[in-house]
Amino acid sequence: MSSDRNLLNPTFLVTLEVTLKTVAEMGVTSMARTVKPLSNTQIHQAKPQDKEYNLPDGDGLALRIKPSGSKLWLFNYLRPYTKRRTNMGFGAYPEVSLADARRRRADARVLLAQDIDPKEHRDAQIKLQLEANELTFERVINQWFEIKKASITPGHAEDVIRSLNKHVIPQIGKVPVHKITAPMVIETLRLLAGSGKLEAVKRVCQRLNEIMVYGVNTGVVPNNPLTGIRHAFQSPKAVNNPTLKPKELPQLLKTLQRANIRPITCYLIQWQLHTMTRPGEASGARWDEIDQEQAVWVIPAERMKKRREHAVPLTPQVNEILKALEPLSGKSPFLFPSDIDPRKHANASTANVALKRMGFHGRLTAHGMRSLASTTLNEEGFDPDVIEAALAHVDKNSVRAAYNRTDYLKRRRTLMEWWSTHIDCSWSVRHPTPLTTGSLGERRNGGHVSQHFGG
């Protein structure tokens, strides 16, 4: 009876309410503090039972013993905001030791203190890691190249991707981009360097650095690990494109007239010599770029090295070449169609290969013919600015270039006509027939092009 009276006692009821409230506020944390931490011996000796059971370590960490005998670490916690209880697996024992499990519990509790769900955080990290592993170096190279090729000529773009496909992608293309290191790339390029192709090594290193800078800017890698890899190799010796002296021009023309090469190739060399254009610009010339009314060849910006449209005045000698090319190019859109596929243009290296066969290896390249023209014109006293404009060079002085936007087309026409006439005069010193007419391109024998050009 006395106990019943106590239950009705107001003082007792207040005390009971305060006690229950205190216990509720202490909650699981207070109860967890009373849990005796696990020991390795206790874990090792734990045996499976008919039903799974837990061995608590405190602060939400427990080892679950399965009937199969497996032992799994679980972390029980209240999810931020929703305040619902959930379990997060830390892995199996003994692969994950007691010490490891406690470290993971500590990490999880740090995240919870910041209202970050540790399970969601871990899943997000795993997803990021999977995506990073799927983002291979090859994929980043291709993404970079899609942007790069818009700012360079098609011929240059082809050279860029060819070098990467040959010297980089087969070796390390499948490696995740975030795992690419300087030693890895240096080892990849040692074979190329060992073959003495130091200029190629230098170009590949430059391109790889551009790719990694792209990776940094797009957020796929935190920094560029390839800075300075070029210094792991010897520097190539600076070698200018070999060219002839102005007085040797007649020798070139005489050799060209006797050369055992295809007529299209002969005209390609002449075309480049007269127009002073780069090999890729000349070999890729299209009929729809020729404006006969204005007597000008307009090369679109996308085919120019500096991505600026370039107009080349057509001299009478160049027009002679055009007339000779019409029956040779057939229905091809190109002045100099490919031997294999007329829907494509001749390779940019065609003139170079022909010059080597003609005996000019180490003395003259197709690009060197531009230097030959430049030297001759400068010696004749032409305005250097007009010569530079004819060569489609861009002024390196950005301020000067901004104020000097004229392309000197009228003055360049005078310059180009002098240069074409000079070529003809150099030829006619010993040969009265102009180089660009029947003596070369259409040397006929009974109405047929001579087999002398059958190379």
Side-chain angles (χ1 to χ4, degrees):
M1 293 293 291
S2 61
S3 62
D4 291 338
R5 285 195 296 270
N6 287 337
L7 290 174
L8 298 175
N9 188 308
T11 302
F12 173 79
L13 291 175
V14 171
T15 303
L16 178 62
E17 182 181 357
V18 171
T19 302
L20 291 174
K21 184 178 180 181
T22 302
V23 171
E25 289 176 349
M26 292 173 65
V28 176
T29 302
S30 177
M31 295 173 67
R33 288 173 183 166
T34 64
V35 174
K36 183 180 180 180
L38 292 171
S39 66
N40 285 311
T41 301
Q42 185 180 359
I43 295 171
H44 181 71
Q45 292 178 347
K47 303 299 181 184
Q49 299 178 6
D50 292 339
K51 294 182 179 180
E52 62 182 35
Y53 65 97
N54 291 343
L55 294 177
D57 185 62
D59 287 338
L61 179 64
L63 185 66
R64 178 165 292 180
I65 313 299
K66 297 248 180 206
S68 62
S70 62
K71 301 174 182 180
L72 306 175
W73 291 108
L74 293 178
F75 175 61
N76 185 269
Y77 66 97
L78 282 174
R79 307 190 77 167
Y81 306 112
T82 66
K83 300 306 178 184
R84 292 181 179 179
R85 287 209 161 272
T86 188
N87 286 325
M88 176 182 180
F90 281 171
Y93 179 87
E95 288 79 9
V96 177
S97 68
L98 175 59
D100 288 337
R102 286 172 175 168
R103 277 192 290 270
R104 297 184 187 190
R105 175 183 60 190
D107 292 340
R109 290 177 66 81
V110 169
L111 292 173
L112 285 168
Q114 304 172 61
D115 286 330
I116 299 173
D117 189 316
K119 188 175 181 180
E120 290 181 355
H121 178 77
R122 182 186 65 184
D123 292 345
Q125 292 298 312
I126 292 173
K127 183 180 178 182
L128 287 174
Q129 187 64 38
L130 289 173
E131 290 176 350
N133 288 334
E134 290 175 357
L135 190 59
T136 63
F137 197 29
E138 181 177 8
R139 284 183 60 186
V140 176
I141 288 173
N142 290 332
Q143 291 171 5
W144 165 82
F145 181 67
E146 284 301 309
I147 297 173
K148 177 69 175 180
K149 69 180 183 181
S151 63
I152 55 180
T153 63
H156 186 197
E158 184 180 345
D159 177 68
V160 167
I161 197 63
R162 186 195 302 118
S163 68
L164 295 171
N165 279 329
K166 185 175 182 180
H167 304 300
V168 178
I169 291 177
Q171 292 82 2
I172 56 176
K174 301 303 179 186
V175 176
V177 66
H178 69 279
K179 293 185 178 180
I180 294 293
T181 65
M184 183 188 302
V185 173
I186 290 169
E187 185 61 31
T188 298
L189 297 180
R190 286 201 187 282
L191 183 62
L192 182 61
S195 64
K197 298 178 180 178
L198 298 177
E199 187 62 41
V201 171
K202 177 183 175 182
R203 288 196 298 268
V204 171
C205 287
Q206 289 171 339
R207 291 159 188 171
L208 291 178
N209 267 276
E210 279 191 46
I211 292 164
M212 279 303 186
V213 169
Y214 164 83
V216 172
N217 291 335
T218 54
V220 299
V221 289
N223 51 63
N224 175 12
L226 305 184
T227 302
I229 58 170
R230 182 172 60 85
H231 300 297
F233 306 97
Q234 293 181 8
S235 298
K237 294 181 180 178
V239 178
N240 294 324
N241 282 294
T243 188
L244 300 177
K245 296 178 180 179
K247 66 180 181 181
E248 296 176 299
L249 178 59
Q251 179 190 353
L252 169 63
L253 302 174
K254 179 180 179 181
T255 306
L256 181 60
Q257 192 270 341
R258 297 178 176 179
N260 184 29
I261 55 179
R262 298 171 56 243
I264 282 283
T265 304
C266 287
Y267 285 122
L268 174 57
I269 294 174
Q270 290 183 76
W271 180 267
Q272 191 177 335
L273 183 63
H274 280 270
T275 61
M276 302 192 300
T277 48
R278 299 178 179 90
E281 297 159 5
S283 61
R286 297 176 58 96
W287 286 105
D288 56 15
E289 295 172 355
I290 305 297
D291 185 341
Q292 292 283 12
E293 289 187 8
Q294 299 297 321
V296 69
W297 168 31
V298 181
I299 310 174
E302 60 267 22
R303 289 213 309 109
M304 294 297 298
K305 180 178 179 180
K306 299 299 182 180
R307 316 305 286 176
R308 288 176 54 183
E309 182 182 274
H310 182 55
V312 182
L314 299 179
T315 65
Q317 291 83 352
V318 171
N319 280 320
E320 286 293 320
I321 296 174
L322 285 172
K323 291 178 184 178
L325 284 172
E326 287 179 356
L328 294 177
S329 64
K331 296 181 179 180
S332 173
F334 299 101
L335 274 64
F336 308 99
S338 166
D339 215 15
I340 300 174
D341 184 356
R343 293 171 298 181
K344 297 180 180 180
H345 60 76
N347 193 288
S349 64
T350 298
N352 261 342
V353 173
L355 289 170
K356 287 181 181 179
R357 289 180 56 189
M358 291 159 54
F360 289 99
H361 181 59
R363 296 182 58 202
L364 176 68
T365 63
H367 202 283
M369 289 192 289
R370 287 163 52 83
S371 298
L372 173 59
S374 176
T375 301
T376 304
L377 292 166
N378 274 289
E379 287 184 354
E380 290 296 321
F382 282 93
D383 187 334
D385 286 342
V386 179
I387 297 172
E388 292 297 288
L391 293 166
H393 284 163
V394 176
D395 199 325
K396 294 181 179 179
N397 185 322
S398 58
V399 176
R400 173 182 158 87
Y403 286 97
N404 187 14
R405 296 182 182 277
T406 179
D407 64 357
Y408 305 105
L409 185 60
K410 184 176 181 180
R411 295 173 65 187
R412 283 200 291 120
R413 188 176 295 280
T414 300
L415 178 148
M416 300 297 282
E417 288 176 351
W418 183 93
W419 172 237
S420 281
T421 301
H422 176 74
I423 294 172
D424 265 0
C425 290
S426 297
W427 167 252
S428 61
V429 169
R430 297 181 180 178
H431 305 272
T433 308
L435 180 65
T436 53
T437 59
S439 64
L440 174 64
E442 295 184 276
R443 179 187 294 184
R444 297 186 179 275
N445 182 8
H448 299 283
V449 176
S450 171
Q451 296 302 310
H452 185 64
F453 301 101

